[in-house]
């Protein structure tokens, strides 16, 4: 199934897992400023426009978990599906030192148009997939840059993020932390979840077990790297879910 706001892969796969990738693409749809935000290509390939490597990792994980996956098909700079509709960072005008020209004059009407065009269809599809089973477990896949401009390097290989529901995150962190070659961050490089974000909306509000994993993007820059990390993470995720007894 394909839609201008998202792609769904493996919709008929039977596992209770649902893999999501909110920042899968750096695409600017033609309906938004003629398909450009006024940034050079070099900026649109940076982490500010999408989560580098996350789409390939999400697809590989979904394959190994025998689970469906939903991936956004628009840049987070157009509108960020991992923010609540009332979040002031929903449409960024400045990100990691880069001004976003195409968002400079995005008023309330333009934000509403982008919500209807992209954000709401993505979340409606995600909600339908999550509701396909009563015992859905949400795995949200992201990546992070090794270093923000003017900030110290980030040491973590992987971050495991959670809000108030750490039922799945706790055993996953315990398992990953036992691997001597990994630096694992709990709620690093970002803290937990924001009210109204994708996990809050589709997992926490519904009582669904969930975890958000962030891979440092220099570790998943190639298809081979993405598949290798999926091979490593899928068994840990399955074991952690078994540990919960859920």
């Amino acid at each position: 199934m394909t839609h201008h706001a998202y792609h769904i892969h493996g919709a008929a796969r039977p596992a209770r897992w649902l893999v999501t990738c909110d920042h899968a693409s750096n695409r600017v749809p033609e309906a938004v400023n003629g398909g450009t935000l006024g940034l050079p290509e070099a900026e649109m390939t940076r982490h500010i426009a999408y989560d580098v490597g996350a789409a390939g990792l999400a697809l590989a994980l979904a394959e190994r978990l025998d689970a469906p996956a939903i991936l956004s098909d628009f840049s987070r700079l157009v509108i960020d599906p991992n923010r609540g509709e009332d979040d002031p960072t929903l449409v960024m005008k400045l990100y990691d030192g880069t001004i976003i020209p195409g968002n400079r004059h995005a008023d309330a009407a333009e934000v509403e148009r982008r919500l209807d065009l992209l954000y709401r269809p993505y979340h409606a599809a995600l909600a339908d997939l999550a509701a396909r089973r009563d015992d859905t477990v949400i795995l949200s896949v992201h990546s992070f840059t090794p270093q923000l401009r003017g900030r110290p390097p980030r040491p973590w290989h992987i971050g495991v993020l959670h809000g108030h529901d750490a039922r799945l995150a706790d055993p996953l962190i315990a398992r990953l932390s036992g691997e001597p070659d990994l630096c694992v961050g709990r709620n690093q490089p970002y803290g937990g979840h924001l009210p109204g974000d994708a996990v809050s909306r589709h997992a926490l509000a519904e009582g669904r077990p969930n975890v958000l994993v962030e891979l440092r993007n220099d570790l998943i820059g190639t298809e081979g790297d993405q598949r290798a990390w999926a091979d490593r993470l899928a068994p840990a995720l399955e074991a952690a879910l078994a540990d919960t007894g859920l």
Side-chain angles (χ1 to χ4, degrees), residues 57 61 157-158 182 215 219-220 224-234:
L57 176 62
L61 278 168
H157 300 105
I158 184 170
L182 287 185
L215 267 290
L219 303 177
I220 51 171
D225 292 337
Q226 294 154 14
R227 298 186 75 82
W229 272 98
D231 288 341
R232 184 173 192 175
L233 289 176

Side-chain angles (χ1 to χ4, degrees), residues 72-94:
S72 69
D73 192 24
F74 54 94
S75 173
R76 66 190 299 171
L77 294 179
V78 173
I79 193 162
D80 193 335
N82 194 37
R83 296 291 184 270
E85 290 196 14
D86 59 351
D87 192 299
T89 65
L90 184 65
V91 176
M92 295 287 280
K93 299 188 178 184
L94 174 68

Side-chain angles (χ1 to χ4, degrees), residues 65-207:
L65 295 169
D66 203 17
I70 180 168
L71 283 68
S72 69
D73 192 24
F74 54 94
S75 173
R76 66 190 299 171
L77 294 179
V78 173
I79 193 162
D80 193 335
N82 194 37
R83 296 291 184 270
E85 290 196 14
D86 59 351
D87 192 299
T89 65
L90 184 65
V91 176
M92 295 287 280
K93 299 188 178 184
L94 174 68
Y95 191 7
D96 194 23
T98 296
I99 294 171
I100 319 302
N103 291 344
R104 177 176 291 179
H105 302 297
D107 57 12
E110 174 60 14
V111 172
E112 185 69 19
R113 192 178 74 86
R114 296 184 194 184
L115 283 166
D116 284 341
L117 180 70
L118 300 163
Y119 179 105
R120 289 172 180 147
Y122 171 75
H123 281 286
L126 201 166
D128 286 346
L129 279 173
R132 81 198 192 287
R133 299 180 53 136
D134 293 334
D135 61 350
T136 293
V137 178
I138 291 182
L139 167 62
S140 183
V141 177
H142 291 254
S143 72
F144 63 93
T145 186
Q147 186 172 12
L148 293 170
R149 288 176 173 170
R151 303 286 185 88
R154 291 163 159 175
W156 311 283
H157 300 105
I158 184 170
V160 178
L161 279 59
H162 62 86
H164 62 77
D165 180 0
R167 290 175 295 172
L168 182 53
D170 282 346
L172 180 61
I173 290 169
R175 286 183 172 275
L176 295 176
S177 296
E179 300 187 21
D181 61 331
L182 287 185
C183 180
V184 181
R186 179 189 291 271
N187 285 333
Q188 296 289 354
Y190 307 105
H193 297 298
L194 298 170
D197 71 9
V199 170
S200 172
R201 179 172 179 171
H202 298 287
L204 298 180
E206 303 293 337

